[in-house]
Amino acid sequence: MEFVRRDRDRLSLRLVGELDIAASTWLRTGLASLPGQGVRRLEVNVVQLSFCDVGGARVLKDLHEHLRGLGGGLVLVGGGMVRRVLELAWPQDYPHGRVEGHPLRVRGGARPRTSVRQAAEPARHPALERADRLKREASLRVEIARQSSALICLRLAQMHESLASLHAGLGSESACRHLELARGYRERALAAG
């Protein structure tokens, strides 16, 4: 979040990057004190926002409603994805094509098209791109965890084998279960690997 300028009761800021659940909590905290500081009108530039989930859009919607109650409001500059999330999450408040009386004004940005466009390959929504990236990262983390667990099982097997040798050297191997435990850990390592 970057504050661009401030007039008496008006503040302009720019959001850059991703507005997901973690960032929306941070944003809500950062913007909560603005009405108490006399800000009644907020202009939010979202042109450089690469992702916005429902939580992020809700922060902007809630702040807009609060400012509206104080006689002000919020204006999105370059609404694109944020506008689309607002329209999908709260269709009763953001009907397609309605400009007059629109609860949250949007200047610039993508608006729903009325004509059908033939494209060679449909554009993927940024949320789908992000979901694919997160899925790949999760698969990689699962594989790393699987390999780590196999390595830990092998180390435990070696530890139990060493303990069995120690018990044999002390002559107390009759009650020792360490070889049995070592076999179990080796089997787990092979299954995990």
Side-chain angles (χ1 to χ4, degrees), residues 18-170:
E18 296 184 350
L19 187 52
D20 57 10
I21 191 165
S24 62
T25 302
W26 174 80
L27 181 65
R28 184 178 299 276
T29 304
L31 298 178
S33 64
L34 293 179
Q37 296 173 14
V39 174
R40 300 291 179 261
R41 290 184 225 129
L42 184 64
E43 181 180 278
V44 182
N45 185 318
V46 293
V47 171
Q48 294 178 325
L49 212 56
S50 60
F51 175 79
C52 179
D53 65 9
V54 175
R58 178 174 290 283
V59 170
L60 297 174
K61 180 181 186 294
D62 291 349
L63 183 61
H64 169 66
E65 290 173 356
H66 182 70
L67 291 174
R68 220 170 54 168
L70 298 172
L74 187 144
V75 175
L76 288 178
V77 177
M81 181 187 312
V82 178
R83 177 189 181 118
R84 186 67 179 135
V85 172
L86 288 167
E87 289 173 341
L88 291 171
W90 297 280
Q92 69 280 5
D93 294 335
Y94 301 93
H96 294 287
R98 190 170 121 201
V99 176
E100 284 299 313
H102 201 284
L104 191 142
R105 290 190 316 139
V106 179
R107 290 198 323 240
R111 295 191 177 204
R113 294 180 184 259
T114 54
S115 62
V116 177
R117 180 177 58 151
Q118 295 293 327
E121 187 175 317
R124 286 187 49 125
H125 193 277
L128 294 176
E129 293 290 337
R130 184 169 189 262
D132 287 344
R133 180 177 49 84
L134 291 174
K135 185 177 177 182
R136 286 190 303 272
E137 288 175 11
S139 295
L140 180 61
R141 288 176 191 235
V142 166
E143 184 58 33
I144 290 170
R146 184 178 291 121
Q147 290 177 7
S148 295
S149 69
L151 184 61
I152 290 169
C153 285
L154 283 175
R155 288 181 182 160
L156 286 170
Q158 290 170 349
M159 179 190 71
H160 283 290
E161 288 167 350
S162 296
L163 288 170
S165 295
L166 179 64
H167 284 175
L170 295 173

